[in-house]
Amino acid sequence: MEAGGVLVGLLITEGSTIDLLMIDVDRQRQGLGRLLLSQAEQLLFAEYQEIRLETFASNVTAVAFYEACGWSVSGKLETDGPDRIEFRRHREHAGTA
């Protein structure tokens, strides 16, 4: 994601997983993360019924962000490193015409 010709955000996906979402620390809390996440969701839901992401359990800001964006915690992941939480989101079904 660019703003004024400067890279301010980055999002990487792998399959149905949002693998990385980063916003420049000086540009956080301006809606850019929400915008980038929303665009990724649209792209992934065009292909998958369910999408997922992970974050560190200790990253309370990220946990609150994903919950505020409508993501649901599906559980903790078993790892040798820091505790991680998995989030999942299902594609919403539109009414039939």
Side-chain angles (χ1 to χ4, degrees):
M1 171 183 271
E2 290 185 14
V6 177
L7 183 65
V8 296
L10 175 68
L11 186 133
I12 298 172
T13 62
E14 183 176 326
S16 64
T17 299
I18 295 174
D19 200 42
L20 178 67
L21 171 61
M22 295 177 18
I23 299 295
D24 183 300
V25 68
D26 294 330
R27 299 298 298 266
Q28 291 179 358
R29 305 204 56 84
Q30 297 177 13
L32 299 175
R34 197 175 284 266
L35 177 63
L36 196 54
L37 182 61
S38 176
Q39 290 175 344
E41 290 170 355
Q42 289 177 5
L43 290 171
L44 292 175
F45 281 138
E47 198 170 338
Y48 302 99
Q49 291 285 335
E50 180 181 71
I51 58 178
R52 63 177 297 280
L53 59 83
E54 300 173 10
T55 193
F56 294 110
S58 62
N59 189 343
V60 294
T61 302
V63 171
F65 170 74
Y66 293 125
E67 288 175 338
C69 289
W71 287 75
S72 299
V73 173
S74 62
K76 290 189 176 184
L77 299 171
E78 297 290 327
T79 66
D80 291 334
D83 289 340
R84 295 191 339 233
I85 297 174
E86 179 182 56
F87 284 84
R88 291 187 181 267
R89 189 157 192 194
H90 297 275
R91 179 170 51 199
E92 295 177 13
H93 297 283
T96 57

